[in-house]
Amino acid sequence: MRNLLDLQKQLLPDLIEVFKKRYTILHHIAVSRVVGRRTLASSLDMTERVLRGEVDFLKEQGLLEADSAGMRVTASGMKLLEQMEPMIKELFGLTDLEERIRGIFGLDQVIVVPGDSDVSPYTKKELGRAGAAVLRKQAVKDGVIAVTGGSTMAEVANHLTPSTQLKGNWFVPARGGLGESVELQANTIASTMAKRASGQYRLLHVPDHLGEEAYQSLIQDKTISEIIEVIRSASMIVHGIGEAMVMARRRKVDEETKAKLLADGALAEAFGYYFDRSGVPVHKMPTVGLRLEDIQRTETVIAVAGGQSKGESIAAVLRFGHENVLVTDEAAARGILQHADEQEQD
C-alpha cells in the first residue's frame, strides 16, 4: 500500500488532497455523531460553500444523511472510515510515529490519531473513540476495569458501546474523587462506562487527597475496604496522564509539596504518583485506591492522553515501564519522540 500511495502522491497530488479533505469531513461528523453544517465549517476552517459541495457529494455516495438535527454518518460511511484507517495513517505519517514510540518504550501497541487535543475538541473526541475501541478489544470476560478521572477519560466513556467481552465486567474508580466537576471524577466515569457497556460498577465515595490519620481510619471501614480490594484486583487499568504542576494545582497541593515536586524534577502525574523525566516515582499522594504494586502486576495498562503540552509528561510515564498500550495524538507523539531523543543524547 505504501508504494501505491507514494506513486499517487507523485502522479496525482491533487487527488490525495481531495481524498484527505473528504475523509476529514466524514471523520469529523462521525466523531461528533450529529453536527450542523455551520458548526462543522467553523471547526474545519472551511467556507460553508466549499463544505456544501463536499457534503452533497458524500450524501450522493450514501455516506452521509441529514435532517433538521444535523448531519450524521451512515452505516456505509462508518464501514468506509474503518477500512480507510490504515491508509489514512500512512498518508498522515502516523504509522511511522506509532512504530517508533512502540519500539523505544517496548509497548505492545501505540495508536496515534491526527491533530492536537490541546487546541481541537474533535481531536480529544477522537482520542476518546480510539481509547474506547482499545478498551473493548483488550477487555477480558468478567474482569475488573479500574479507570481514572479527567476530560480525556470522560471522552473514552462517552464513546464506549456494548460488546460481548465487556458485558460481565465491573467498572471501578482507580482512586477517590478529585475536587473538580462531578462529570470528570473517576466515580462518574466508571458508572458511565458500565452503563454504556452493559456492565456493572462499584463506586468509592471518599476524597482523593487524605491525611495519613484519615486514610488509616477509612481503610478500617468494612465497606471501604471491600471496594478497595476489588479495585486492587483489577485486570485492566485505563488512565490519563497529567503535567505534574498542573495536577498539583488542581489537587490544591500545599506550597511546600509543590516546591518539593519542583526540586525532585516531577514532570508527570498518573494514578496518584508523580514521575520525573526518567520515569522514577518521586512523590505519592496519600490516596485510597490503586498502589504502585497493583499497577505493576495488572495484566493490561492503557494510557489515553494527548496534546502538545503533554508530550514530555507522557514520555516520563512511559519510562516507568508498566504501560501496555498508549493512545495519543500526533502533537503529543512528536513531543514524546523529541523527549526520547533528548534523553538518548544525555
Side-chain angles (χ1 to χ4, degrees):
M1 182 181 11
R2 177 170 287 189
N3 289 339
L4 177 61
L5 286 174
D6 288 342
L7 287 171
Q8 287 177 329
K9 285 177 185 177
Q10 287 182 294
L11 297 173
L12 299 164
D14 293 346
L15 184 62
I16 294 293
E17 290 309 310
V18 171
F19 180 89
K20 281 184 177 181
K21 180 167 64 175
R22 288 177 178 167
Y23 169 84
T24 300
I25 292 168
L26 200 61
H27 181 261
H28 269 62
I29 298 171
V31 169
S32 302
R33 297 194 178 121
V34 179
V35 65
R37 192 161 58 201
R38 182 172 297 177
T39 301
L40 184 63
S42 175
S43 298
L44 294 173
D45 196 21
M46 189 181 293
T47 66
E48 283 193 63
R49 184 181 63 80
V50 170
L51 180 62
R52 186 184 303 115
E54 297 298 343
V55 164
D56 288 345
F57 173 83
L58 293 170
K59 284 164 65 177
E60 287 170 11
Q61 300 303 310
L63 304 174
L64 282 184
E65 57 188 17
D67 56 26
S68 57
M71 299 175 289
R72 63 179 60 80
V73 178
T74 63
S76 297
M78 294 302 291
K79 185 176 180 182
L80 180 64
L81 282 172
E82 189 177 327
Q83 292 171 337
M84 288 169 67
E85 193 165 332
M87 188 184 299
I88 287 298
K89 283 184 178 288
E90 290 284 356
L91 279 174
F92 284 93
L94 305 182
T95 305
D96 180 56
L97 291 177
E98 290 173 344
E99 285 304 306
R100 287 173 64 194
I101 293 171
R102 191 182 65 80
I104 290 169
F105 295 98
L107 300 166
D108 296 333
Q109 185 181 14
V110 176
I111 296 165
V112 177
V113 304
D116 180 353
S117 54
D118 278 351
V119 297
S120 168
Y122 283 96
T123 300
K124 182 165 281 192
K125 287 179 186 292
E126 176 61 2
L127 268 182
R129 186 201 64 80
V134 170
L135 195 162
R136 283 194 303 270
K137 186 176 179 181
Q138 296 281 342
V140 297
K141 198 171 182 183
D142 301 321
V144 174
I145 300 172
V147 299
T148 64
S151 58
T152 303
M153 291 302 301
E155 288 294 350
V156 175
N158 288 337
H159 285 84
L160 209 54
T161 53
S163 74
T164 305
Q165 287 293 95
L166 286 174
K167 195 170 183 180
N169 274 261
W170 284 87
F171 290 83
V172 296
R175 53 195 297 175
L178 280 174
E180 61 184 354
S181 53
V182 173
E183 64 270 19
L184 301 184
Q185 291 183 12
N187 271 337
T188 305
I189 289 166
S191 64
T192 301
M193 285 184 172
K195 290 168 187 172
R196 289 188 176 276
S198 300
Q200 301 173 82
Y201 65 90
R202 292 189 68 175
L203 304 182
L204 182 61
H205 295 293
V206 298
D208 182 68
H209 190 189
L210 296 168
E212 186 61 31
E213 189 176 335
Y215 173 79
Q216 292 300 333
S217 175
L218 271 173
I219 61 175
Q220 301 305 315
D221 181 275
K222 187 179 178 184
T223 305
I224 299 295
S225 62
E226 282 179 359
I227 179 61
I228 290 172
E229 190 175 336
V230 174
I231 292 169
R232 290 175 177 173
S233 71
S235 53
M236 177 188 290
I237 298 168
V238 188
H239 70 91
I241 295 172
E243 297 169 77
M245 299 316 296
V246 171
M247 296 306 295
R249 286 193 294 273
R250 269 178 59 187
R251 297 212 167 103
K252 299 178 173 60
V253 170
D254 60 81
E255 293 303 319
E256 185 181 347
T257 304
K258 285 182 189 175
K260 188 176 186 307
L261 287 171
L262 283 170
D264 290 341
L267 281 181
E269 188 277 342
F271 30 77
Y273 289 83
Y274 289 82
F275 301 84
D276 68 12
R277 72 196 306 261
S278 299
V280 176
V282 294
H283 184 76
K284 177 192 182 301
M285 300 300 291
T287 180
V288 175
L290 287 174
R291 302 162 302 184
L292 213 56
E293 55 265 37
D294 303 317
I295 296 152
Q296 290 168 330
R297 65 169 175 256
T298 302
E299 293 170 29
T300 306
V301 181
I302 301 169
V304 187
Q308 190 272 334
S309 63
K310 286 189 181 177
E312 194 173 31
S313 298
I314 297 169
V317 175
L318 294 180
R319 289 279 183 206
F320 173 58
H322 291 281
E323 304 294 329
N324 298 97
V325 181
L326 170 67
V327 181
T328 191
D329 60 31
E330 183 179 0
R334 296 191 185 283
I336 291 165
L337 290 172
Q338 182 182 343
H339 176 75
D341 289 342
E342 290 169 358
Q343 282 278 83
E344 194 174 314
Q345 289 168 10
D346 290 348

